[in-house]
Amino acid sequence: MKTVSSFVEHYLKTKPFLLNSLSEGIINLTSLARNMMPEVEKQLGKDIKQGAVVMALKRLTEELDFKINHKVIKVIKNIGEITVRSSLNDYTYAISDSILNKHAELITKINLQKDVFYTSSRGVNEINIVLSNSMDRTIEELFTGEKQIQKLKDLSSITIKLPNENVNVPGVYYYIFQRLAWEGIVLYEVISTSNEFTFLVSEQQVDIAFRVIKDLKNV
């Protein structure tokens, strides 16, 4: 049986930005309840008092915020080293029978260089390589004949070291990406391992993105 509380809980869970704004007290519950009333009554099939929706919002906001945010914030406060690299290019190629051999040759050449940034990931149909722009000619020559889907230039990376417990806490990445989104930061790539992740932004936005991540530790 549907209840006001169950509907409000579902409503909030499908709108995480709204939930976070509610937990920070920047949305008026009465106004929100008023806007929700037509949908609540439609879903429940009966007339509902606005006060019941307000009470459900208040209780669920407090409960959901406690269940999620206090664990996430503990992880965020323990963010470790933050590393920034600039002058990067981002290459995306279609998977082919020959591309892995060329990729292996690229790695061999990278190992002969000093201070070259390199990271990569492979999907079902594409392979992505992020590389210092000093290696641009090398990769373009090696991957001749491969289908290049995209090439982005003049990017910077920010690599964040997370505490080990991050793998057991839901919402850590969402919390970080939410803050970046609020500042209008465009993420071109996100590459992660168990306890660290790297994201790419334009060189014009890297200073803002770094400030956002640094400020997270003071939440």
Side-chain angles (χ1 to χ4, degrees):
M1 179 180 177
K2 290 184 178 180
T3 64
V4 173
S5 292
S6 65
F7 174 78
V8 171
E9 181 174 359
H10 174 74
Y11 186 90
L12 293 181
K13 285 183 175 179
T14 59
K15 297 174 173 58
F17 276 82
L18 176 60
L19 174 59
N20 194 76
S21 297
L22 285 169
S23 69
E24 293 182 358
I26 59 178
I27 292 182
N28 183 279
L29 295 183
T30 301
S31 297
L32 176 59
R34 186 183 305 114
N35 290 333
M36 291 175 59
M37 287 296 294
E39 191 170 349
V40 175
E41 292 183 336
K42 178 181 178 181
Q43 291 294 323
L44 299 183
K46 58 183 179 181
D47 293 337
I48 300 295
K49 291 184 178 180
Q50 183 174 309
V53 179
V54 173
M55 291 303 296
L57 282 169
K58 180 176 175 58
R59 180 177 62 81
L60 289 169
T61 298
E62 293 172 351
E63 288 182 1
L64 292 173
D65 179 54
F66 178 77
K67 289 178 181 177
I68 300 174
N69 284 351
H70 80 290
K71 292 181 180 180
V72 172
I73 289 173
K74 182 180 178 181
V75 171
I76 297 299
K77 284 182 176 292
N78 289 317
I79 283 177
E81 183 180 35
I82 304 171
T83 305
V84 178
R85 293 292 298 266
S86 59
S87 301
L88 305 178
N89 290 346
D90 178 20
Y91 308 84
T92 303
Y93 291 94
I95 296 293
S96 70
D97 293 336
S98 58
I99 201 164
L100 288 184
N101 290 333
K102 295 179 179 180
H103 195 180
E105 188 174 350
L106 174 64
I107 293 173
T108 299
K109 291 182 178 295
I110 290 171
N111 286 335
L112 299 176
Q113 304 293 324
K114 292 183 178 180
D115 300 323
V116 169
F117 180 93
Y118 159 80
T119 186
S120 69
S121 61
R122 175 176 174 169
V124 176
N125 300 305
E126 301 176 350
I127 186 169
N128 174 261
I129 299 172
V130 180
L131 198 60
S132 296
N133 62 14
S134 60
M135 299 291 292
D136 182 63
R137 177 175 294 182
T138 300
I139 188 172
E140 293 285 6
E141 291 176 353
L142 281 176
F143 284 64
T144 298
E146 301 296 338
K147 181 181 178 182
Q148 187 178 87
I149 297 172
Q150 179 174 262
K151 177 181 178 181
L152 301 172
K153 303 173 66 175
D154 300 322
L155 302 178
S156 293
S157 70
I158 297 180
T159 301
I160 302 170
K161 177 68 174 176
L162 296 171
N164 294 342
E165 61 266 27
N166 90 88
V167 296
N168 298 313
V169 178
V172 173
Y173 280 52
Y174 163 73
Y175 191 93
I176 295 172
F177 294 155
Q178 179 195 62
R179 291 299 193 272
L180 292 168
W182 281 357
E183 294 293 335
I185 304 298
V186 177
L187 303 184
Y188 291 98
E189 300 288 351
V190 177
I191 301 171
S192 67
T193 58
S194 294
N195 298 311
E196 70 176 39
F197 73 93
T198 298
F199 62 88
L200 265 63
V201 300
S202 69
E203 293 190 346
Q204 289 75 24
Q205 292 192 314
V206 66
D207 289 339
I208 300 173
F210 179 78
R211 175 179 54 79
V212 170
I213 299 303
K214 188 175 180 181
D215 288 348
L216 283 176
K217 299 179 69 172
N218 300 317
V219 294

